[in-house]
Amino acid sequence: MKRNKITKILFIAIISLILLSIIFLSLGNTVKNLNIAKQVEPKKMEENYYISKISNNEDMCYLSDIKYDEENSKVEWGSITLDSNLENQYNNGLITLIVNQKKTHFLKGISAHATSTLIYDISAYNYDYFSAYVGVDESRTTNGNGVKFEIYTSNNGTDWELEQQTGVLKGDSEAENITINIKDAKYLKLYCSNNGNNASDHSVYANAKLYKEGYVERKAENVDFIKTIEQYDEELKNESLDNQINKYELTLLQRNLVNNIGYDLLQAIVNQDEEYEAVVRWLMSDIENLRLYVLGGAPDGGSYYNSIKELSRLYKEYKNDFNDTTKTNNTWYPDLTKGEVYKKMAISLSLTHATKVGYWAQIDHPSN
């Protein structure tokens, strides 16, 4: 009995120290940001997230969700990359373009270093139009001499008709929004030339999709279970530190998660897909889940967006296992259930597999 009491006291002390660290880190970042704000710096470009509901919509599909012709598609450098920019360390791994003079992040799209050719057989898809924002990923800024895009259609996959082309676009250029009629086409070709020099030619097709006549994209609304940092601070400000730790641990952890990912990005993620919303709601509504995820650290080598995607996949497939109350009969933790172990495994995997992880013997073959 005495040993259990000591263990409980130590556990509470450790949790308190961790929470104190979170609080002081958040306060430290706030002070740091305030100090930076006092300095005279050039005005930063306003950022925006492209948000749309896409779940279970038969009137459209994203090009990154269907297969391209692997034999005839190619890129100058790297590989064809889906729903991510070519280098994960920039912009949280998201495709980013300048749209309406705003730095705009896209959750869906294709990255293909110029010179590049992407060919799709769309004969089995009953859609009327193709559209996308095209340009060089904003992370490349003014580097390189830009690229040029050309969009083609064909009825036989051999004879191509040019439908639309762009001028020279660079990372700091305004993206071009293109729309192509594909009613009579069986094949679609996306071609991007390097304009004579392939330096920094991270060409992207953001929000690239096929859709039917009459399709209207639904803009999403913010969900109320995710609050802004200011709203969390308002809840916490009138409480003493002891009360914050004892009474508001969930709020503190929610605040920390939003601070790490960003309010706008987290709202964009949950609005993109109903399964993403379900898993984020599952995370943020349960103190144990949120404690495991937040204290697990930042995603290893990837982005929070990829981590949420991976956790969503695991949650959908194994969520019933998380409720398994069978005891593990572990010597040190006799009350530990299998459900608790499975949950910890899923959250850990979502953080470590936020980027591609290769098998040790086959590094180019990613693990799922």
Side-chain angles (χ1 to χ4, degrees):
M1 181 70 70
K2 185 176 181 180
R3 179 181 175 183
N4 290 339
K5 186 175 181 180
I6 294 173
T7 302
K8 184 177 180 180
I9 293 171
L10 286 173
F11 175 77
I12 294 172
I14 291 170
I15 291 298
S16 300
L17 287 172
I18 292 172
L19 290 171
L20 283 171
S21 299
I22 292 173
I23 294 168
F24 291 134
L25 180 60
S26 299
L27 290 174
N29 288 335
T30 301
V31 172
K32 181 180 178 181
N33 291 335
L34 289 173
N35 289 334
I36 291 174
K38 293 177 182 178
Q39 301 173 11
V40 179
E41 290 185 347
K43 184 179 179 180
K44 292 184 177 180
M45 181 176 296
E46 184 178 352
E47 297 194 23
N48 186 40
Y49 286 87
Y50 191 89
I51 307 173
S52 62
K53 281 277 190 184
I54 67 173
S55 297
N56 303 319
N57 197 327
E58 295 181 355
D59 292 335
M60 64 83 71
C61 76
Y62 282 95
L63 211 59
S64 58
D65 291 335
I66 65 177
K67 290 185 177 181
Y68 55 84
D69 183 340
E70 294 185 9
E71 183 178 350
N72 295 304
S73 299
K74 58 185 178 180
V75 292
E76 182 87 4
W77 173 86
S79 60
I80 297 169
T81 305
L82 308 178
D83 302 332
S84 172
N85 61 27
L86 289 173
E87 298 188 53
N88 258 329
Q89 67 265 40
Y90 297 108
N91 297 321
N92 207 24
L94 299 178
I95 291 171
T96 308
L97 291 171
I98 306 300
V99 178
N100 297 327
Q101 300 182 336
K102 293 181 180 179
K103 181 178 176 181
T104 304
H105 307 281
F106 292 84
L107 303 181
K108 300 293 289 183
I110 304 166
S111 298
H113 196 287
T115 295
S116 60
T117 302
L118 284 77
I119 296 178
Y120 289 85
D121 180 349
I122 57 174
S123 60
Y125 299 92
N126 185 27
Y127 293 105
D128 301 316
Y129 298 96
F130 162 75
S131 70
Y133 287 91
V134 299
V136 173
D137 195 272
E138 186 276 338
S139 63
R140 301 297 90 194
T141 62
T142 60
N143 297 327
N145 65 340
V147 303
K148 295 179 181 179
F149 291 86
E150 297 175 0
I151 312 300
Y152 296 83
T153 59
S154 172
N155 284 321
N156 56 19
T158 302
D159 302 311
W160 295 94
E161 181 178 350
L162 178 62
E163 300 287 352
Q164 193 166 337
Q165 59 186 340
T166 71
V168 177
L169 299 174
K170 300 175 69 173
D172 62 341
S173 301
E174 180 75 14
E176 292 199 23
N177 188 8
I178 61 174
T179 300
I180 304 296
N181 187 320
I182 58 171
K183 291 179 181 179
D184 299 320
K186 294 183 179 179
Y187 297 88
L188 178 68
K189 179 166 73 172
L190 314 180
Y191 175 78
C192 184
S193 70
N194 63 19
N195 196 33
N197 185 323
N198 68 356
S200 296
D201 288 345
H202 292 201
S203 56
V204 297
Y205 302 86
N207 202 40
K209 62 181 178 290
L210 309 177
Y211 61 94
K212 295 181 180 180
E213 186 85 48
Y215 166 74
V216 177
E217 195 157 61
R218 293 193 300 152
K219 298 300 180 182
E221 297 180 358
N222 288 347
V223 297
D224 57 7
F225 68 87
I226 300 173
K227 301 175 184 178
T228 65
I229 295 297
E230 291 74 19
Q231 288 174 312
Y232 288 121
D233 287 344
E234 184 67 24
E235 291 183 22
L236 295 167
K237 72 177 184 180
N238 295 322
E239 295 291 335
S240 67
L241 190 58
D242 287 339
N243 284 345
Q244 287 181 17
I245 292 172
N246 296 328
K247 186 178 178 181
Y248 288 113
E249 182 184 357
L250 179 61
T251 303
L252 283 166
L253 290 169
Q254 289 171 336
R255 183 194 186 282
N256 191 257
L257 181 68
V258 174
N259 186 61
N260 288 342
I261 299 178
Y263 175 78
D264 290 330
L265 177 54
L266 195 53
Q267 288 283 0
I269 291 172
V270 300
N271 273 288
Q272 187 195 17
D273 193 286
E274 292 172 357
E275 291 178 3
Y276 297 167
E277 178 180 348
V279 77
V280 173
R281 188 185 293 272
W282 173 77
L283 265 181
M284 298 194 72
S285 62
D286 186 284
I287 192 168
E288 180 187 3
N289 300 340
L290 198 54
R291 186 189 292 134
L292 289 170
Y293 191 82
V294 170
L295 301 184
D300 187 11
S303 66
Y304 276 105
Y305 174 49
N306 289 339
S307 176
I308 294 297
K309 286 171 63 177
E310 186 66 18
L311 185 57
S312 174
R313 183 183 71 82
L314 294 167
Y315 175 74
K316 179 182 178 181
E317 189 167 353
Y318 300 109
K319 61 183 177 182
N320 291 333
D321 293 334
F322 299 160
N323 299 319
D324 189 338
T325 58
T326 306
K327 301 294 185 183
T328 62
N329 296 320
N330 182 282
T331 302
W332 295 101
Y333 304 99
D335 294 328
L336 192 66
T337 67
K338 289 184 177 180
E340 291 172 314
V341 175
Y342 297 149
K343 185 187 297 185
K344 290 178 181 180
M345 289 171 63
I347 290 175
S348 297
L349 286 169
S350 75
L351 293 168
T352 57
H353 283 62
T355 187
K356 289 184 178 179
V357 177
Y359 292 112
W360 70 272
Q362 295 174 294
I363 196 66
D364 294 329
H365 185 71
S367 163
N368 67 355

